[in-house]
Amino acid sequence: MMKLKQLESYLSSVETFANPKIELEQYPTSAHIAARMLYTAESTFEDIEDKCVMDLGCGGGILGLAAAMLGAGQVIGVDVDPEAIAIAQANAEELEIDMEFVLNNLQASALRSGTVGEGAPRVGAGLPMVDTVISNPPFGTREKGIDMVFLHTACSVATTAVYSLHKTSTRD
C-alpha cells in the first residue's frame, strides 16, 4: 500500500475551485485531510482497495482520487456542478487515474424546494449501489440540513461503509 506521506504529496497537486459557488458551499478538501481520511479507511478498515467507491459531492475529486491511488477497483465521482465535474475530470487525467463521473441534480432540487432534512429527496436517487461512500458534503451552514441529505444518500447507496466529514456547529 502507498505510504501516507506519498499519498498526501500526490494529492497536493490536485486543482481546486478558482471561483467556488457559495450557494453550494464549495470549499476544497486539503490534501492533508483527504490523505488521512482515505488512508485510515484502507489501512484500518480495508474499505478502499478493490472496492467500488463513490465520492459523493466530489468537487475537484480529491477524495475519489485518493481512493483510486489506494487501489479502489472502481471510483465514481458525483456532483451537482458541471464545473466541479470538469475540474475533477482534469485532475484525474493529470494524474492518469480512471474515474467515472455522474452529474446529479437532486441537491439543487432539494435546495430550491426547501426540502432538506426529514423526507427530503435523496441526492443520489438513481445512483448505483457501491461498497464505500466517501464525502465532504456541504456542511449546512448556508442551507440547514443539506449535510443530512448527503448522509442519508450515502447510507442508502453504500453496502459496507460511509466516511463523511461534518462540522460540529451543524450537529443539530
Side-chain angles (χ1 to χ4, degrees), residues 94-167:
E94 180 68 28
L95 293 167
E96 299 179 0
I97 289 176
D98 186 30
M99 269 180 79
E100 297 175 42
F101 295 95
V102 175
L103 184 64
N104 187 293
N105 290 317
L106 286 179
Q107 176 192 1
S109 299
L111 287 170
R112 282 194 301 275
S113 67
T115 55
V116 295
E118 198 66 36
R122 292 185 308 118
V123 174
L127 291 174
M129 297 298 290
V130 296
D131 299 304
T132 304
V133 172
I134 51 179
S135 185
N136 187 3
F139 288 151
T141 55
R142 293 192 47 85
E143 190 68 42
K144 186 174 169 47
I146 193 66
D147 54 338
M148 293 309 295
V149 173
F150 275 79
L151 192 55
H152 287 288
T153 299
C155 290
S156 71
V157 299
T159 60
T160 304
V162 172
Y163 296 87
S164 186
L165 301 171
H166 294 270
K167 192 172 184 175

Side-chain angles (χ1 to χ4, degrees), residues 1-12 35 69:
M1 183 170 78
M2 181 181 294
K3 293 185 186 232
L4 177 60
K5 288 291 182 187
Q6 184 181 18
L7 178 61
E8 186 174 342
S9 177
Y10 284 135
L11 294 176
S12 67
M69 288 178 193

